[in-house]
Amino acid sequence: MSNMNNGRAFGSVSELLEQLLRHHHPYTKAALAELSPLAEQVARMHGDRHPELAQLVVLLRRLRNDMDMHLMKEENILFPYIKQLIGSSTVTPPMFGTIANPIRVMQAEHDTDRGILDEMVQITRDFALPPYACASFTALYQGVRALVRDLLLHMDLENNRLFPLVIEMEKDKLVRF
């Protein structure tokens, strides 16, 4: 039997969920909604001198599409099941078998999105601004840099803290037939 039965472990899962749902998910959605059109504007203004901006537009679009689906799956499938785990002494097997199955999908998506983030950092030379960068160019690079940092933290919280805790929690509570 694991030590997941103490209040601290369950509280930490609740706190992680709260942080993800109250900060990281809304921030990601809002930042991508703001940065995508800003990137298009900056690419129109400076794309002739900075072809990497066209690549950044494409990467932001890909990331936004990926994250929209990813966050929806977390908010509508995975996180409600985790809340059920927190609130119950036992749970019946979910439609997806065990929580490890959707977690594997989420981690694979994290790997894909981490590749997109790495590519953003690479093509922008770690968001190095030209000396003549206008306010929009500066806001774009600062915004994307902040998004990259937040998403890396977000993925780390899920992959290395939340997911291992809930896998163990489920082992203690899953009713076997």
Side-chain angles (χ1 to χ4, degrees), residues 22-62:
R22 299 246 183 221
H23 170 72
H24 294 287
H25 283 212
Y27 173 79
T28 299
K29 292 173 188 176
L32 286 167
E34 292 173 16
L35 291 170
S36 293
L38 180 59
E40 291 171 8
Q41 173 192 344
V42 173
R44 279 192 306 272
M45 292 171 27
H46 300 282
D48 55 330
R49 292 174 77 180
H50 294 276
E52 70 276 7
L53 291 170
Q55 291 175 275
L56 186 59
V57 168
V58 171
L59 291 170
L60 280 167
R61 191 175 301 126
R62 278 183 45 211

Side-chain angles (χ1 to χ4, degrees), residues 81 94 96-104 170 174 176:
Y81 179 68
F96 44 76
T98 70
I99 201 164
N101 293 324
I103 285 174
R104 273 192 295 278
E170 184 188 56
L174 196 59
R176 309 257 184 233

Side-chain angles (χ1 to χ4, degrees), residues 84-96:
Q84 182 183 351
L85 282 174
I86 294 168
S88 303
S89 59
T90 61
V91 293
T92 57
M95 65 182 169
F96 44 76

Side-chain angles (χ1 to χ4, degrees), residues 3 12 17 21 27 34 37 100 102 134 151 156 160 164 170 176:
N3 63 0
S12 65
L17 276 180
L21 289 169
Y27 173 79
E34 292 173 16
C134 67
L151 276 173
D156 180 65
N160 299 313
E170 184 188 56
R176 309 257 184 233

Side-chain angles (χ1 to χ4, degrees), residues 9-19 82 86 162 169:
F10 293 163
S12 65
V13 170
S14 295
E15 291 168 13
L16 286 167
L17 276 180
E18 183 77 12
Q19 181 177 355
I82 292 171
I86 294 168
L162 179 66
M169 183 187 297

